[in-house]
Amino acid sequence: MAIEKMHISYNEIHQAIADCVEGKDVYESFKPTLIIAIGSGGFIPARMLRTFLKAKCGKSLPIQTIGLVLYDDNLDKYDPDTAVVRKTQWLNYSHGEGTGISLQGHNILIVDEVDDTRKTLSYAVAELTKDAEKQRHEYEARRKEGEPEWQQPKLGVFVVHNKIKDKKGSLPADVLESRYFKCMDVPDNWIVYPWDALDIETHQQRADERRAGERAAKKAKVDGDQ
């Protein structure tokens, strides 16, 4: 059986992020100070998100990027159960030329377009947690008397779509309970994002047709319940 495709438009993503920031008090409850976008699907949502967070806090939050891929040795057929996460790009913590990043004290919002198997998000949170612990040890080793103690960073997750399915990865309980922000739950379908489209007009048409079908189905259900 073929997997149903869901074509999603830029406007839908833009509005979904706006509604999530407002409706779920993303800034008020977490007060993010740093955005980390998972490439490449998290790039555009992260930039949209920054616009709505700026409306809350009055400043543009910095965006850093990391690259993660799910790699499968089976080249004939990708299998999410056996695929493993690999880094293609990571944060620069070096202090050599003033470009080094310190995680200390930051409320870090990790952004991706979709929570599918959760493997990628799980990996990102775990690796950033290890990086923060390493930075803490280094900071404490060089901290002099009278200098402030290490301020532990907090990690949160923001996704446009959460697929309703059993997850292969996991997130810490405190993240899931209060720092996991999802714009919407969706079925486990093949989501086609607009940044992957070769023909954006055709993509938009298919997104419009899907939305029209959803509205018609919703109306039919309401009429049937009356």
Side-chain angles (χ1 to χ4, degrees):
M1 181 178 178
I3 300 176
E4 182 180 349
K5 290 184 179 181
M6 291 179 58
H7 289 77
I8 307 294
S9 70
Y10 280 114
N11 284 358
E12 287 180 272
I13 295 168
H14 194 275
Q15 191 61 54
I17 293 173
D19 291 344
C20 185
V21 169
E22 191 65 36
K24 298 184 179 179
D25 296 330
V26 175
Y27 181 75
E28 292 82 356
S29 63
F30 185 48
K31 291 185 169 54
T33 58
L34 175 64
I35 297 171
I36 295 182
I38 298 178
S40 60
F43 291 167
I44 294 176
R47 181 57 188 87
M48 291 179 173
L49 174 62
R50 185 170 76 167
T51 294
F52 297 109
L53 292 177
K54 181 179 180 180
K56 296 287 185 179
C57 67
K59 59 182 179 181
S60 293
L61 300 182
I63 299 178
Q64 297 290 332
T65 63
I66 57 177
L68 298 176
V69 294
L70 275 173
Y71 181 84
D72 193 344
D73 288 326
N74 182 359
L75 300 179
D76 295 326
K77 183 179 180 182
Y78 169 78
D79 185 349
D81 290 330
T82 59
V84 296
V85 182
R86 293 186 178 177
K87 293 179 183 177
T88 59
Q89 176 182 331
W90 203 250
L91 303 177
N92 174 26
Y93 298 124
S94 170
H95 299 286
E97 299 180 357
T99 58
I101 300 166
S102 173
L103 302 179
Q104 180 178 188
H106 275 297
N107 291 342
I108 302 167
L109 199 52
I110 303 166
V111 180
D112 209 355
E113 87 276 39
V114 60
D115 181 355
D116 191 340
T117 64
R118 196 165 283 172
K119 281 187 175 183
T120 302
L121 290 168
S122 175
Y123 184 91
V125 169
E127 289 297 300
L128 288 168
T129 299
K130 288 192 290 186
D131 289 350
E133 186 62 14
K134 181 180 179 181
Q135 285 192 359
R136 183 184 72 81
H137 282 296
E138 293 173 349
Y139 179 85
E140 294 296 346
R142 66 175 183 269
R143 184 169 70 93
K144 298 178 181 179
E145 185 177 351
E147 291 183 342
E149 295 183 355
W150 170 264
Q151 296 179 2
Q152 186 69 15
K154 294 181 180 179
L155 299 176
V157 168
F158 185 101
V159 295
V160 180
H161 298 112
N162 171 54
K163 288 191 177 183
I164 303 172
K165 62 189 295 184
D166 291 334
K167 305 296 186 181
K168 304 301 180 182
S170 61
L171 293 172
D174 59 332
V175 172
L176 282 174
E177 289 171 4
S178 61
R179 303 195 296 273
Y180 176 84
F181 304 99
K182 56 182 178 179
C183 296
M184 64 180 71
D185 290 319
V186 294
D188 186 18
N189 294 334
W190 180 354
I191 303 177
V192 186
Y193 288 99
W195 45 81
D196 290 322
L198 293 175
D199 183 340
I200 193 61
E201 291 186 359
T202 299
H203 181 96
Q204 181 66 50
Q205 180 181 350
R206 290 173 178 168
D208 291 341
E209 290 171 351
R210 174 189 57 78
R211 294 192 68 191
E214 290 173 352
R215 287 193 295 267
K218 184 177 180 179
K219 183 178 184 302
K221 185 178 185 304
V222 171
D223 293 342
D225 292 340
Q226 290 179 349

